Amino acid sequence: AGDLAGFHAALGGCAVCHDTNAVTAANVPDDERALNQKCETCHGDYKALAEKTKDLRFNPHASHLGDINCTVCHAAHEKPKLACNDCHTFDMKLPFADAAAKENWDKGVDEAAVAKALAEAPRETVDVLVIGAGSTGYNAAISAKRAGASVLLLEKHAFSGGNSMLAAGGYNAVGTPQQAKKGVKDSVESYIEDTMKGGRGKNDPALVKILAEESAAGIKWLEDMGANMDDLKRSGGAKVDRTHRPAGGLSVGPHIIDVLRAQAEKDGVPARLNSRVVKINLDADHKIESVIVHGKHTGYYKVAAKAIVLATGGYGMNQEMIAWYRPTFKGMTSSNNVTSTGDGIRMALNIGASTVDIDWVQAHPTVGKDSRILISETVRGVGAIMVNSEGARFVNELTTRDRASDAILAQPDRTAWLVFDSQLYGKAKMVRGYDHLGMLKKADTVGELAKATGMDPKTLEATVSAYNKYRAAGKDEAFGRPDMPLSIDKGPFYAVHVAPGIHHTMGGVAITPESEVLDIQSRPIPGLYAAGEVTGGVHGLNRLGGNAVADTVVFGRRAGEHAAKYALGL
Ligand code: MEZ
């Protein structure tokens, strides 16, 4: 069968898509931007395409992935592949779907090619090299650039965003205008106390203090770039409402990634896609010297850097690492992006970095059953209750994730249902997304909802009625839930089936408050910085909802600034 490349070539040669007819791998940039500009010239931009495909059951050009390269899905010289299906199972035909499959360029590491690149002179030299273009990486790269360093941001995947792209709930911050407007009484001390308690007291107190103290400045930093963080709610384990997200209850991750992508472009920070760092090299004095990159089209090459920021995320999608560090979670579904494979941890270990709490893995209690789709904690925060397959509550829905997950896993079928009504449906926009994905059961009465989900109608009716009474009296007599924002009495009623799934790997490389990575003698490795989920220490043994996005912004910025200072000798 033909492919997209052959089809276009028949219209006028390779130059229809490339800048020239004399195409070699070396003149196709790894980020594929130039190719995509050509696609847009003929087919229109993302917005125009979204309009054209708006009547499809799932509109692939209006997704939470944002404005990604056309070539991510519409590969020209190989079998096209729907990026959505990394997590979903959409039945969608792509043009030339029957083209021949080609071996994945990023499969394994060619050690001989690495050795050759090592022996060669660097192709490029930068002050600060940032590895991983999720929220942490973008924040680090933008702040390093603003601090005066030359910067290169490398991303192994075909589009940026990493795991941050999937963050639904929000960003925990204290002392923001949003909290003041809502009259929320909060303090840095209270944020620290909740975070330490959630982490079972094992967090590094110096890192938690920074997270809390700099959280509000991180919100302002994002707002100054154009983000909207005006919606405020409570997440599990927090005493007050401090989780910020876009107005209307939209998911936080796609929004901030859109904003950061645009800002990086404005600030002249190059984000090079399809570029996997496979090795970090130290010089004879054990200082950062360079990395070996594997580019999709350009092969293996060396980039010299004075400083590196590891922003590679966790290892929630690496089943081997899960089996090694947390065997009881082996085979469990994961809400993580396919990019969360622990590469940064492996490369740092290879150059003598130490780790903290590396075996602590968080299961999020509510991942859609038999799926990889996270049902955000927001749904419980805004007012849903959680019941078992009989229709009975069994836990305070706003407890920390480890406790909520353990409680679900103690139920006979190790699953639960979130139950809510039309009020919540109207308030939390992300719920409409779950509905669109066909994940919700819906009924006009609580009894009918029980029948639709296989629960016992009398039990569910009694559960909902008791909950409404507790709410009216202001005290949850059954499980001590601290906040019951909504009653459940305005039909239609909804339920979504959930089970725990791997969500966050709390441990990672050990860092100082300046984001320097420590070696096994607890001395900083000169020039190596890290932030976000690749690090350990911030979250202790259990992370609170909303603290990951805060971590990516607060410590991403810090890592970028300190790496720039080091590289510039300041
Ligand atoms: O911080 C998180 O992981 C979070 C708030 C997730 C969610 O449930 O939405």
Side-chain angles (χ1 to χ4, degrees):
D3 60 17
L4 197 59
F7 173 79
H8 282 90
L11 301 175
C14 304
V16 170
C17 301
H18 298 273
D19 284 336
T20 162
N21 266 321
V23 182
T24 65
N27 63 25
V28 182
D30 290 323
D31 62 27
E32 299 181 358
R33 276 166 60 110
L35 291 172
N36 283 275
Q37 278 153 7
K38 291 263 191 175
C39 304
E40 286 195 5
T41 310
C42 296
H43 298 278
D45 64 9
Y46 234 70
K47 231 167 140 192
L49 286 161
E51 185 56 27
K52 277 189 201 159
T53 51
K54 70 175 190 300
D55 294 330
L56 291 179
R57 164 90 176 87
F58 301 106
N59 188 347
H61 300 111
S63 87
H64 59 103
L65 303 182
D67 189 348
I68 61 175
N69 280 346
C70 312
T71 48
V72 172
C73 301
H74 301 283
H77 292 273
E78 59 203 90
K79 199 175 169 66
K81 175 179 169 280
L82 197 65
C84 309
N85 280 350
D86 281 345
C87 298
H88 302 273
T89 45
F90 296 157
D91 180 16
M92 218 180 279
K93 276 264 176 300
L94 282 162
F96 298 97
D98 52 353
K102 220 168 128 187
E103 181 143 354
N104 178 7
W105 70 275
D106 194 21
K107 202 171 140 237
V109 175
D110 178 346
E111 293 298 345
V114 171
K116 186 166 172 284
L118 260 175
E120 286 169 356
R123 260 192 220 168
E124 289 160 84
T125 297
V126 291
D127 293 325
V128 177
L129 181 95
V130 181
I131 312 176
S135 169
T136 304
Y138 272 116
N139 281 296
I142 291 168
S143 57
K145 181 82 201 275
R146 290 184 181 182
S150 62
V151 179
L152 176 62
L153 174 57
L154 294 177
E155 168 58 46
K156 66 181 175 184
H157 204 36
F159 53 93
S160 64
N163 218 22
S164 321
M165 168 65 81
L166 305 183
Y171 173 140
N172 287 347
V174 51
T176 60
Q178 288 86 340
Q179 279 190 320
K181 191 168 168 205
K182 209 173 165 186
V184 176
K185 299 253 171 306
D186 199 4
S187 66
V188 164
E189 292 69 34
S190 179
Y191 187 129
I192 293 173
E193 191 180 288
D194 289 347
T195 301
M196 296 292 296
K197 193 169 165 213
R200 311 282 163 248
K202 296 290 184 198
N203 328 46
D204 180 335
L207 299 180
V208 177
K209 187 164 180 281
I210 291 167
L211 182 73
E213 282 176 352
E214 297 185 11
S215 58
I219 294 275
K220 167 115 181 25
W221 155 271
L222 292 175
E223 286 174 341
D224 286 347
M225 295 178 189
N228 179 306
M229 301 294 274
D230 283 350
D231 200 32
L232 191 60
K233 54 111 196 168
R234 192 181 305 202
S235 291
K239 283 192 282 293
V240 297
D241 293 2
R242 64 168 77 100
T243 307
H244 297 66
R245 58 196 172 131
L250 288 171
S251 292
V252 69
H255 177 60
I256 66 170
I257 288 296
D258 266 355
V259 166
L260 289 165
R261 275 180 187 153
Q263 191 64 49
E265 177 110 25
K266 257 191 235 154
D267 286 7
V269 172
R272 188 177 300 163
L273 305 171
N274 295 308
S275 300
R276 177 191 286 273
V277 175
V278 294
K279 193 174 183 330
I280 299 174
N281 309 307
L282 301 180
D283 67 11
D285 296 325
H286 283 257
K287 292 184 179 152
I288 287 297
E289 185 221 53
S290 62
V291 295
I292 303 298
V293 187
H294 182 198
K296 179 177 178 185
H297 304 293
T298 55
Y300 290 82
Y301 62 97
K302 190 193 282 179
V303 177
K306 294 193 187 109
I308 288 175
V309 178
L310 279 180
T312 44
Y315 64 87
M317 278 298 281
N318 184 326
Q319 274 296 329
E320 256 177 51
M321 286 175 82
I322 292 289
W324 179 258
Y325 289 123
R326 185 63 197 258
T328 49
F329 283 0
K330 187 168 172 241
M332 189 185 260
T333 189
S334 170
S335 63
N336 288 179
N337 196 348
V338 288
T339 51
S340 295
T341 50
D343 317 15
I345 295 171
R346 182 185 48 76
M347 288 191 289
L349 286 174
N350 282 346
I351 54 166
S354 61
T355 60
V356 272
D357 302 330
I358 188 73
D359 51 340
W360 284 86
V361 177
Q362 176 173 83
H364 192 293
T366 62
V367 176
K369 185 178 173 293
D370 298 325
S371 85
R372 304 223 303 105
I373 313 304
L374 183 78
I375 305 300
S376 175
E377 195 166 315
T378 304
V379 180
R380 281 170 288 144
V382 175
I385 57 168
M386 186 153 73
V387 301
N388 61 17
S389 54
E390 283 294 299
R393 285 177 72 213
F394 54 90
V395 72
N396 156 20
E397 290 84 354
L398 299 186
T399 189
T400 51
R401 290 175 178 173
D402 50 350
R403 299 213 158 112
S405 292
D406 287 349
I408 296 174
L409 294 173
Q411 301 308 303
D413 65 352
R414 300 165 69 85
T415 72
W417 291 86
L418 295 178
V419 173
F420 51 92
D421 72 4
S422 60
Q423 301 173 85
L424 189 143
Y425 192 97
K427 273 194 139 183
K429 267 197 186 146
M430 57 183 62
V431 170
R432 286 171 232 171
Y434 309 140
D435 200 6
H436 185 57
L437 292 172
M439 298 174 84
L440 303 187
K441 299 276 185 202
K442 178 178 176 187
D444 287 335
T445 66
V446 172
E448 280 164 27
L449 187 69
K451 282 187 206 140
T453 54
M455 293 179 217
D456 175 43
K458 283 204 166 50
T459 308
L460 186 63
E461 279 164 359
T463 298
V464 169
S465 142
Y467 180 79
N468 286 336
K469 278 191 196 129
Y470 298 148
R471 181 180 174 273
K475 185 160 189 236
D476 175 13
E477 299 281 356
F479 297 100
R481 175 176 172 145
D483 188 37
M484 294 175 277
L486 293 175
S487 57
I488 304 178
D489 53 8
K490 301 199 172 39
F493 299 89
Y494 300 87
V496 53
H497 206 181
V498 294
I502 293 164
H503 185 58
H504 192 96
T505 48
M506 263 80 59
V509 297
I511 54 165
T512 66
E514 286 72 41
S515 284
E516 300 155 295
V517 176
L518 295 172
D519 69 12
I520 43 183
Q521 267 93 35
S522 298
R523 293 169 312 199
I525 298 175
L528 186 60
Y529 296 79
E533 200 176 343
V534 70
T535 68
V538 178
H539 306 293
L541 305 189
N542 176 63
R543 176 175 69 73
L544 293 190
N547 273 359
V549 178
D551 181 4
T552 64
V553 178
V554 168
F555 284 96
R557 289 180 68 190
R558 285 180 76 82
E561 271 163 32
H562 288 286
K565 274 193 197 153
Y566 171 87
L568 299 172
L570 300 174

